[in-house]
Amino acid sequence: MRTSVFLCLGVGLGICNADIIPVTGSKTGLGQHSLPARHNIRQLEKSGPQWDLFIQGLLSFQKVTEEDQLSYFQISGIHGRPYIAWNGVEQVEGAPLDGYCTHNEVLFAIWHRPLVALFEQVLAQHVQTVALQYTGSMADTYRRAADLWRMPYWDWADGQNLPSIFSDPNVTVNGPVGRVTLENPLLTYRFQQFPLNATQFPSDCDTDYSLYSYPETLRCPDPTTNQSTEWMVDGDVEAIQLSQQIYTIYTRLTSFESMSTTACSGSSIENIHNEIHVAVGGLHPMGHFANLGYSGFDPIFMLHHAAIDRHVALWQAIYYNDSMFNSTYVSPVGQFATAPGTKITADSPLKPFYADVNRTFHTSNSVRDISVLGYTYPELTGNWTSREALSRHVRTVVNGLYGNTTDRGTRRRGVELKTQLEYHVEFKVDKASIKLPATLRLWVRGRLAGRVVLLGAPARGDIYGEIILWDDLLHGESPATVGSTIPNSLKDNLFWDVASVSGETLDSPQTAKVVLVVRKVSQPQGVSEFPRYEAPQVLWDIPPR
Ligand SMILES: *[C@@H]1O[C@H](CO)[C@@H](O)[C@H](O)[C@H]1NC(C)=O
Ligand SMILES: *[C@@H]1O[C@H](CO)[C@@H](O)[C@H](O)[C@H]1NC(C)=O
Ligand SMILES: *[C@@H]1O[C@H](CO)[C@@H](O)[C@H](O)[C@H]1NC(C)=O
Ligand SMILES: *[C@@H]1O[C@H](CO)[C@@H](O)[C@H](O)[C@H]1NC(C)=O
Ligand SMILES: *[C@@H]1O[C@H](CO)[C@@H](O)[C@H](O)[C@H]1NC(C)=O
Ligand SMILES: *[C@@H]1O[C@H](CO)[C@@H](O)[C@H](O)[C@H]1NC(C)=O
Ligand SMILES: *[C@@H]1O[C@H](CO)[C@@H](O)[C@H](O)[C@H]1NC(C)=O
Ligand SMILES: *[C@@H]1O[C@H](CO)[C@@H](O)[C@H](O)[C@H]1NC(C)=O
Ligand SMILES: [Cu+2]
């Protein structure tokens, strides 16, 4: 695999720059003042030509031989397994045998940006090839549609369950010679080489639940049939109700670091991202999407990460003064090409993504502005007179999409109060002290009140998170007005524990710190305003159950 690159490196630099694949994103369809937008999958589905091209292009991409480093297999494999070099970017001394992906650290939100852009740029070439097969009156329409095509995203915070296109066995599109029914490339990826290479996909039932044994990616696999259980996925996605959680990210987290990652205290986009991985993959039995070593192969993966990228880009447009991160972090665990203990700044390389043929790596700074990678999102288009005007516009959009949540519990806009209290449970725990993967559960009066997943990778390092304490759990005792205090009866009835994926209670780790926090929040006065939070007050330590 990737032989040409290895040979090339042996010959020396310069001669084989042609083999270096820079991540540029797709550069077709750029207007003088406009960029093509990535669209919501639910809209793209109704778009006609772009949808037809996406489906056929993805099918063609998935058929590229797995030996090719521009194959679906190898680009999807950058994230986790197989733990081998991509584009000649080798494992470094002292680094773990792991994927390149950065999780539970500050680069989380930004590292996935060039990954999705690379997938998009390669898939765009397949889209272009398919477009050339259309003739006659359709030729121009399809070529134009191909130029403007960009990777769609799946907005899992839209309050609906899984789009059915992710689970349909077949899909019908307008092909170059008429209507055609095809295998749905969004359902699964079927490995070309199966059984999988045992060196690259070792059989380790203990940590990856025999995922190596399936010939294709599965979600909530039914072990008696080795098939996905799609209704379980639907139920899981519907149950997690993410609109209020994402709204919290937009309105309360005002620094790039805290917005990004579970390595910083409180909620984060990574925390939400983890929940989607297990909702779609299934925890027990575990599907590919729930295991970071395999998740990259599920066709949902890039649509999920495009959704993350959109939230990050919208957040950046809102908090345009934010300097990203200029503090220095230390990578606690490292990745395939980053040794543990490496200092991380916004100029650190995002491996294995080269920005040009001279082996200059992309950095957080080089991809902070998405226009560099040739795309935008619909919410960011338009001719805004200032960054503040764009920020106001995006805040309005976010309020409309995620602000008046229909999630259970709080309906903020429905309450005619200027100020309210919001209760959250915040936790911190060293993952090394838990048998992973696991869940941290919160119990109120013997009822399960919330749950956060602690994924298997990385296996150590402090992880932070938050569970929203819904009004209906404080039922009848919820102090909706300022001045009330949380009922003391709750104090004796609030506990946490840690459970395995099958629900079995595990020993409570000594390293865990779980606290109840209250914040005073002022409700927004206009459609472009956000709620304003005061500094949190820690009420008490919650004991293990
Ligand atoms: C639908 O998909 C299945 C499995 O992917 C395939 O066997 C079947 O031929 C497809 N049906 C049509 C009408 O193409
Ligand atoms: C399996 O993977 C190992 C390690 O990457 C590689 O050396 C070997 O050639 C692969 N075997 C096959 C049959 O592809
Ligand atoms: C499912 O996969 C397992 C592991 O590869 C295998 O042992 C079992 O026979 C399969 N079951 C069916 C019904 O195919
Ligand atoms: C950004 O900075 C400018 C200039 O200091 C200020 O006027 C503006 O309110 C700030 N915007 C945000 C969203 O913080
Ligand atoms: C980050 O760097 C910018 C520019 O160098 C500076 O203006 C800003 O104050 C710094 N922020 C922090 C938190 O250090
Ligand atoms: C790459 O390096 C060569 C030789 O130093 C130089 O001529 C070229 O401009 C560089 N290209 C980029 C994209 O930096
Ligand atoms: C954007 O607005 C400015 C000022 O209103 C105008 O001069 C410019 O032509 C507009 N650009 C586009 C692409 O509409
Ligand atoms: C959200 O609230 C605003 C203002 O109360 C209302 O105009 C809008 O229709 C609501 N949106 C949704 C999706 O409920
Ligand atoms: Cu992910």
Side-chain angles (χ1 to χ4, degrees), residues 32-34 382-385:
Q32 222 179 342
H33 300 284
S34 66
N383 191 7
W384 303 100
T385 50

Side-chain angles (χ1 to χ4, degrees), residues 150 170 196 209 301 305 316 332 343 404 410 440 482 503 527:
R150 290 296 184 270
N170 303 87
L196 300 174
Y209 299 82
F301 183 90
H305 274 282
Q316 288 180 292
K343 289 202 171 84
N404 22 1
T410 325
L440 187 141
V482 179
V527 289

Side-chain angles (χ1 to χ4, degrees), residues 114-130:
L115 175 66
V116 178
L118 171 64
F119 187 88
E120 177 177 61
Q121 117 193 17
V122 178
L123 175 50
Q125 286 169 11
H126 291 273
V127 163
Q128 288 284 338
T129 306
V130 174

Side-chain angles (χ1 to χ4, degrees), residues 192-206:
Q192 294 168 11
Q193 189 195 326
F194 191 82
L196 300 174
N197 181 324
T199 314
Q200 299 181 355
F201 297 86
S203 58
D204 180 354
C205 314
D206 199 39

Side-chain angles (χ1 to χ4, degrees), residues 258-288:
S258 62
M259 174 273 293
S260 300
T261 175
T262 51
C264 294
S265 68
S267 192
S268 62
I269 190 98
E270 184 175 16
N271 195 71
I272 296 179
H273 149 274
N274 292 350
E275 296 301 321
I276 284 292
H277 272 286
V278 301
V280 171
L283 262 184
H284 187 69
M286 183 177 288
H288 294 76

Side-chain angles (χ1 to χ4, degrees), residues 172-195:
T172 301
V173 297
N174 291 307
V177 293
R179 295 290 279 173
V180 54
T181 298
L182 303 165
E183 271 183 78
N184 181 3
L186 292 168
L187 176 66
T188 184
Y189 175 68
R190 199 162 295 122
F191 295 100
Q192 294 168 11
Q193 189 195 326
F194 191 82

